[in-house]
């Protein structure tokens, strides 16, 4: 009797293992790379940006996005405030926005362009349960609307609050975010539309490794001008888009408390435990059951046995 | 209902009508043995039905509008708060409260504690319905709910914790269906099917343990994807999944206490003596288990605080919220349970269970909603979203009641003598009442 139930039990254990095998496999298949060496990136020099919004306009045109309420040369958008004084952010109508920040020390305002940073180990990618995202070897993080279920886990996970969702659509809502102009430009070795149009050369397109070197050189050449930090070199495992600035990053709406290791590393502890539970639990609980049965002589009312009587 | 029974009406509780001495027809079974008029009469007289009807009247159009006009119509369509009440309550709260199935299954089937058997089926049903409606809430929340099977069949993202949650909830739902189907087969009069379920019960239960450990924890691990967004007092990289798993144990046990209390108060006519006579003892037993779960949970919480050195946050407004959650949802229930178990005060244990259930919901909402994005701004749910959550919950209660009225969950199905042509032995005949603890219940 004990034997029968144990065997049945093991069959079920096996079934449970089968359903989770993909999950346990993944813990070995973690994309633990440091980004592709040939990956491209953009270095944003905030000291050069004049807030002309040309990049916003170029992006809108390139991707055929809806015409905004205010034209792109209307600078009053910098005073727009959303919920609880939030500045503008990318959403379903715009892949990128430029915001204006007044440094607390006084001095000229600083403008900062926001878009997907195309992380080396993207939180959006690693958290998506249908694998809708791909990090291409060129460095872009692209999204496939065909498989997206709309759970919005990626929005929850993105540490930069980048992905937007087209909530207004009832039949085909999708994630909306910058794709580094991957399909039309990046694959052909061309810079994205925003970089191309920037009149100030505030956006520099190139190999990520080289951009880091250039950023460091600029900081070294003018240590009084720049904060000694390239934002995005190490944040959450490094990003393809990086920033250098004359003002402290936290004053420009950057989250300077982000961890250095990639977001995916936070769940490794849990995922590593999954195969252990699968391996140990069945044996453990069979053991408990057999123990309980042995000493269960006092009640002798095993419901399983009752069945056959 | 009571009124008819007091008048001597017989509610269906076995395959045959004792009055007409013939098997009940399906229609009679569905109407519990009453005439349609009688059944309708009691339904109309029950004021709760009127409340439910009112909620559905308001809520169903809102649910339709959500699918017709899109999510943006009933939510704030926030890109900063992609998850709202649907998941905060529907998924993150309903799932721990439905841990009852695997907990009682383990207690009875694996640990052989047959003294908890009278409540096992209620716990299983509570688990099944909780998961089922968690999925309903999920369907309301997903942007493209018709793609729900995608993570299973179209595109796999096995690197994601949510992938594990999806698979496990789906598998576990089928496991629970099978477990609860035993009562349905009895009611339907399919002894072979039922005997089959009984034979694989241990396997089902163990599959349940594995799946539950993993996905209860996985729901917590989901939040470690958003380290900077969850407030540090509710966040711990190492312990998050343990917090969620551990708190699901008292959550599930207390939910059974709450459900059984409501049942005892509102539909005692449907419970048999075995259920009613054992309930107080079982309640105290469950309270004891819940107290141990809560103590473990509180300890891990404290270790988490110390590990990440988060004491400083306790002085902030978030700290007050955190302390309130811990006091009312954990520490007060622990004291109530301890006192109640020692002095055998069942009402006190029941009150403690209610607090625990509310405390768990509060904890999940705090993590997912109220303190989420604590560096940005607080988000309060949209009215449309709230109405949908209440409506779906009402439907959940109605389905719950519908099944409890009919299936042998709170009472034991009266077995028939084996008909001659029956190849499979019928369930053992059980005395209607005064069944000693641990008596065969099949
Ligand atoms: S910035 Fe956000 S959306 Fe862009 S790749 Fe990184 S995690 Fe993904
Ligand atoms: S919303 Fe879509 S892309 Fe984002 S995690 Fe969910 S399925 Fe993946």
């Amino acid at each position: 009797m004990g034997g029968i139930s144990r065997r049945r039990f093991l069959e079920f254990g096996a079934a449970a293992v089968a359903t989770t095998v993909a999950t346990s496999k993944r813990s070995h298949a973690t994309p633990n790379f440091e980004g592709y060496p040939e990956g491209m990136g953009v270095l944003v020099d905030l000291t050069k940006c004049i807030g002309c919004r040309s990049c916003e306009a170029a992006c809108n045109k390139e991707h055929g996005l809806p015409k905004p309420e205010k034209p792109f040369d209307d600078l009053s958008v910098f005073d727009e405030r959303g919920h609880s004084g939030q500045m503008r952010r990318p959403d379903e109508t715009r892949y990128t926005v430029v915001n204006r920040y007044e440094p607390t020390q006084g001095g000229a305002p600083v403008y900062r362009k926001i878009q997907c940073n195309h992380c080396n180990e993207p939180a959006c990618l690693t958290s998506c349960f249908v694998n809708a995202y791909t990090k291409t070897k060129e460095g872009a993080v692209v999204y496939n609307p065909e498989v997206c279920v709309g759970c919005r886990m990626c929005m929850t996970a993105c540490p930069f609050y980048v992905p937007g969702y087209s909530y207004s659509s009832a039949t085909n809502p999708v994630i909306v975010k910058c794709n580094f102009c991957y399909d039309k430009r990046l694959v052909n070795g061309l810079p994205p539309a925003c970089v191309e149009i920037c009149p100030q050369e505030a956006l520099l397109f190139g190999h990520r490794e080289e951009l880091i070197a250039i950023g460091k050189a600029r900081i070294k050449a003018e240590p009084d001008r720049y904060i000694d930090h390239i934002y995005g070199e190490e944040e959450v495992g490094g990003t393809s888009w990086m920033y250098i600035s004359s003002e402290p990053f936290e004053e420009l709406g950057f989250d300077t408390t982000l961890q250095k290791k990639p977001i995916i590393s936070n769940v490794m502890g849990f995922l590593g435990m999954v195969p252990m539970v699968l391996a140990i639990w069945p044996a453990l609980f069979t053991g408990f059951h057999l123990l309980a049965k042995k000493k269960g002589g006092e009640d002798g009312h095993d419901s399983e046995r009752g069945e056959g009587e | 209902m009571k009124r008819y029974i007091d008048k001597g009406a017989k509610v269906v509780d076995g395959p045959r009508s004792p009055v007409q001495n013939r098997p009940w027809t399906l229609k009679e079974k569905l109407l519990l043995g009453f005439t349609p008029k009688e059944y309708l009469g009691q339904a109309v007289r029950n004021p709760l039905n009127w409340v439910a009807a009112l909620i559905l009247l308001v809520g169903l159009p809102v649910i339709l509008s959500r699918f017709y006009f899109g999510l943006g119509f009933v939510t704030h369509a926030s890109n900063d708060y992609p998850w709202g009440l649907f998941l905060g309550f529907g998924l993150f709260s309903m799932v721990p409260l439905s841990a009852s199935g695997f907990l009682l299954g383990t207690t009875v089937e694996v640990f052989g504690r047959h003294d908890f058997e009278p409540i096992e089926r209620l716990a299983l049903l509570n688990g099944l319905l909780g998961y089922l409606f968690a999925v309903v809430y999920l369907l309301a929340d997903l942007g493209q709910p018709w793609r729900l099977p995608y993570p299973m069949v179209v595109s796999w993202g096995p690197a994601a914790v949510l992938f594990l949650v999806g698979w496990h909830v789906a598998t576990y739902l089928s496991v629970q269906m099978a477990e609860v189907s035993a009562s349905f087969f009895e009611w339907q009069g399919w002894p072979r099917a039922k005997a089959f379920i009984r034979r694989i019960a241990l396997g089902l239960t163990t599959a349940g343990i594995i799946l539950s450990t993993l996905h209860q924890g996985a729901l917590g691990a989901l939040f470690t994807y958003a380290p900077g967004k969850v407030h540090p007092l509710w966040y711990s990289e190492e312990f998050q999944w343990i917090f969620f798993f551990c708190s699901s144990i008292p959550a599930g046990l207390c939910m059974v206490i709450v459900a059984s209390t409501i049942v005892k108060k509102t539909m005692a006519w449907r419970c048999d003596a075995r259920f009613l006579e054992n309930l107080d003892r079982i309640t105290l037993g469950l309270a004891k288990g819940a107290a141990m779960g809560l103590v473990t949970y509180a300890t891990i919480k404290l270790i988490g605080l110390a590990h990440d050195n988060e004491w400083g946050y306790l002085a902030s407004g978030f700290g007050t919220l955190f302390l309130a959650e811990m006091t009312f949802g954990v520490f007060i229930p622990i004291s109530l349970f301890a006192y109640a178990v020692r002095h055998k005060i069942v009402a006190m244990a029941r009150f403690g269970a209610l607090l625990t259930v509310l405390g768990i919901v509060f904890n999940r909402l705090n993590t997912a909603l109220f303190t989420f994005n604590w560096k940005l701004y607080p988000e309060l749910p949209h009215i449309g979203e709230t109405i949908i959550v209440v409506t779906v919950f009402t439907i959940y209660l109605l389905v719950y009641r519908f099944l409890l009225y009919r299936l042998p969950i709170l009472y034991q199905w009266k077995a028939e003598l084996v008909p001659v042509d029956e190849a499979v032995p019928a369930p053992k005949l059980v005395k209607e009442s005064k069944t000693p603890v641990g008596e065969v219940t099949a």
Side-chain angles (χ1 to χ4, degrees):
Chain A
M1 171 87 201
I4 288 174
S5 43
R6 184 165 52 216
R7 194 178 67 231
R8 290 198 176 279
F9 160 80
L10 287 175
E11 278 163 20
F12 260 82
V17 171
T19 59
T20 25
V21 79
T23 319
S24 48
K25 231 191 247 159
R26 70 99 27 255
S27 49
H28 304 289
T30 316
N32 218 349
F33 53 75
E34 303 285 310
Y36 294 101
E38 69 270 45
M40 307 301 286
V42 172
L43 181 67
V44 185
D45 191 334
L46 295 179
T47 65
K48 295 189 178 185
C49 178
I50 54 166
C52 67
R53 301 185 65 215
S54 317
C55 51
E56 282 191 46
C59 178
N60 179 281
K61 187 159 160 255
E62 176 81 15
H63 297 284
L65 296 174
K67 195 167 169 269
E69 265 171 51
K70 295 180 186 167
F72 285 107
D73 53 10
D74 184 342
L75 300 187
S76 71
V77 295
F78 292 138
D79 298 318
E80 274 177 22
R81 288 295 179 273
H83 203 307
S84 308
Q86 294 291 305
M87 289 195 183
R88 300 188 309 142
R89 56 157 288 163
D91 61 26
E92 58 175 300
T93 64
R94 50 198 182 193
Y95 297 175
T96 184
V97 295
V98 178
N99 280 330
R100 184 184 63 209
Y101 297 83
E102 311 285 348
T104 44
Q105 308 288 339
V110 177
Y111 298 93
R112 169 198 169 200
K113 179 184 184 301
I114 304 171
Q115 72 297 308
C116 172
N117 286 331
H118 300 277
C119 305
N120 289 347
E121 294 191 51
C124 55
L125 184 155
T126 43
S127 66
C128 175
F129 70 160
V130 290
N131 227 345
Y133 289 89
T134 315
K135 173 85 176 169
T136 74
K137 65 178 192 320
E138 297 86 355
V141 176
V142 293
Y143 158 82
N144 172 11
E146 297 299 316
V147 296
C148 173
V149 180
C151 66
R152 309 192 293 291
M153 176 79 233
C154 50
M155 301 170 72
T156 299
C158 172
F160 303 109
Y161 292 94
V162 165
Y165 199 63
S166 51
Y167 286 102
S168 52
S169 164
T171 49
N172 189 29
V174 289
I175 293 288
V176 185
K177 81 165 191 72
C178 154
N179 67 350
F180 216 151
C181 294
Y182 175 72
D183 40 357
K184 290 200 207 107
R185 292 165 165 270
L186 199 60
V187 281
N188 301 321
L190 295 173
C194 51
V195 173
E196 200 173 77
I197 200 127
C198 178
Q200 291 300 105
E201 295 183 350
L203 312 175
L204 185 63
F205 174 73
H207 286 281
R208 184 173 185 270
E209 296 307 318
E210 284 164 26
L211 292 176
I212 293 173
I214 293 172
K216 283 190 175 145
R218 283 193 195 169
I219 293 170
K220 200 169 165 204
E222 288 179 275
D224 297 338
R225 182 180 165 108
Y226 290 104
I227 301 279
D228 185 13
H229 183 66
I230 302 179
Y231 190 92
E233 184 187 356
E234 289 182 323
E235 276 77 7
V236 291
T239 55
S240 293
W241 279 63
M242 294 165 292
Y243 296 81
I244 50 176
S245 164
S246 57
E247 300 295 332
F249 285 99
E250 54 273 20
E251 288 188 17
L252 309 177
F254 288 91
D255 188 347
T256 49
T257 62
L258 291 182
Q259 59 190 42
K260 286 201 172 150
K261 50 185 192 171
I263 299 284
I264 180 69
S265 64
N266 297 4
V267 292
M268 292 318 288
F270 172 73
L271 288 174
M273 185 235 22
V274 170
M276 262 170 4
V277 167
L278 290 177
I280 298 173
W281 261 217
L284 195 65
F285 284 93
T286 318
F288 283 148
H289 178 64
L290 294 179
L291 275 178
K293 280 185 87 127
K294 210 178 252 165
K295 93 170 188 258
E298 84 271 3
D299 75 23
H301 286 298
D302 190 338
S303 43
E304 270 176 87
R305 203 178 63 204
E307 204 49 51
E309 279 166 13
Chain B
M1 223 56 98
K2 250 191 96 219
R3 176 197 297 221
Y4 297 140
I5 295 163
D6 291 345
K7 276 202 230 135
K10 256 326 251 174
V11 190
V12 173
D13 61 353
R16 298 181 76 84
S17 158
V19 185
Q20 282 115 327
N21 195 26
R22 59 165 174 81
W24 293 107
T25 64
L26 182 61
K27 186 175 151 213
E28 282 170 332
K29 277 191 195 166
L30 281 175
L31 294 176
L32 299 167
F34 299 127
T35 65
K37 212 167 140 220
E38 282 174 331
Y39 192 82
L40 209 67
Q42 62 83 26
V44 168
R45 274 193 302 275
N46 187 344
L48 288 179
N49 286 342
W50 288 95
V51 178
L54 195 69
I55 294 177
L56 293 186
L57 205 66
V58 178
L60 289 179
V62 183
I63 295 182
L64 285 182
S65 69
R66 175 259 170 270
F67 288 100
Y68 194 75
F69 298 111
L71 264 180
F73 190 73
V74 292
T75 69
H76 287 136
S78 170
N79 290 318
D80 298 327
Y81 279 91
W83 291 345
L85 215 48
F86 292 153
L87 293 192
F89 177 78
L91 184 70
F92 292 113
S93 308
M94 286 293 264
V95 168
L97 294 181
S98 311
S100 57
F102 106 84
L103 290 169
L104 266 292
T106 313
T107 312
V108 176
E109 308 293 340
V110 177
F111 293 115
R113 288 291 304 269
H114 294 280
D115 48 332
F116 281 99
E117 233 171 67
I119 209 156
E120 187 192 1
R121 284 189 168 180
L122 179 62
L124 290 177
L125 182 72
N126 181 68
L128 171 65
L129 289 181
Y131 275 84
L132 206 59
F133 279 84
V135 174
V136 172
Y137 280 115
L138 187 67
L139 288 174
D141 184 74
L142 289 178
Q144 308 211 18
W146 47 90
R147 290 185 179 175
L148 184 67
Y150 273 31
M152 277 104 206
V153 289
V154 174
S155 176
W156 281 21
V161 173
L162 200 58
F163 183 76
L164 184 142
V165 176
W167 270 90
H168 283 203
V169 169
T171 323
Y172 187 45
L173 209 49
S174 359
V175 168
Q176 288 193 309
M177 289 279 196
E179 287 177 325
V180 172
S181 65
S183 341
F184 174 72
F185 293 145
E186 269 182 13
W187 184 81
Q188 252 306 356
W190 293 343
R192 285 163 204 241
K194 196 209 131 188
F196 172 71
I197 295 293
R198 281 307 311 165
R199 275 212 309 281
I200 61 170
L202 181 63
L204 290 174
T205 309
T206 318
I209 303 175
I210 298 172
L211 295 167
S212 297
T213 318
L214 291 177
H215 70 246
Q216 295 283 2
L219 286 181
L222 281 184
F223 286 99
T224 53
Y225 279 115
K229 299 185 184 178
V230 183
H231 189 276
L233 285 173
W234 283 269
Y235 179 82
S236 161
E237 188 188 317
E238 289 85 1
F239 298 111
Q240 197 77 1
W241 71 268
I242 308 180
F243 288 164
F244 271 56
F245 170 67
C246 207
S247 56
S248 76
I249 294 173
L253 294 178
C254 289
M255 190 65 183
V256 183
I257 300 184
V258 170
S260 64
T261 308
I262 297 176
V263 157
K264 193 185 154 178
K265 290 254 157 20
T266 62
M267 48 176 104
W269 58 270
R270 180 74 284 188
C271 313
D272 60 7
R274 166 177 171 265
F275 182 84
L276 292 176
E277 282 164 13
N278 284 307
L279 188 58
D280 285 0
R281 174 185 56 76
I282 289 178
T283 301
L284 290 178
L286 294 175
K288 208 163 151 189
M292 294 195 298
L294 282 176
V295 169
T296 319
Y297 174 60
T299 316
I300 304 172
K301 271 282 205 194
L302 288 179
I303 296 176
L305 279 186
H307 180 275
D308 297 341
N309 200 7
E310 283 154 354
W311 305 108
Y313 291 108
L314 287 181
S316 68
F318 288 114
T320 317
L321 196 65
F322 179 80
L323 290 176
E325 178 195 309
M326 291 300 283
T327 312
F328 289 102
V330 179
F331 295 124
I332 293 185
I334 292 178
S335 336
L336 289 176
F337 288 147
Y339 196 85
V341 170
R342 167 160 304 204
H343 300 279
K344 301 218 182 323
I345 311 173
V346 184
M348 191 181 237
R350 294 193 163 123
F351 181 62
L354 181 66
L355 282 185
T356 311
V357 166
L358 296 178
I360 294 292
V361 175
F362 195 42
N363 169 266
R364 298 306 196 260
L365 287 180
N366 278 337
T367 313
L369 211 55
F370 299 146
T371 75
F372 194 77
N373 281 339
W374 60 291
K375 291 178 198 158
L376 295 188
Y377 55 88
E379 151 97 357
L380 287 176
H382 188 280
I383 176 76
E385 200 176 344
T386 318
I387 292 178
I388 293 183
V389 165
V390 172
T391 311
V392 174
F393 199 75
T394 308
I395 302 176
Y396 159 79
L397 292 177
L398 291 177
V399 173
Y400 209 145
R401 190 183 65 176
F402 178 88
L403 294 175
L404 285 182
Y405 270 12
R406 284 157 187 87
L407 298 185
I409 305 265
L410 302 170
Y411 67 99
Q412 285 181 295
W413 194 245
K414 283 221 197 73
E416 234 180 326
L417 289 177
V418 191
V420 194
D421 58 331
E422 194 65 76
V424 170
K428 187 183 164 189
L429 192 67
V430 186
K431 277 167 265 144
E432 186 179 359
S433 63
K434 300 201 194 61
T435 312
V437 176
E439 179 64 83
V440 178
T441 56

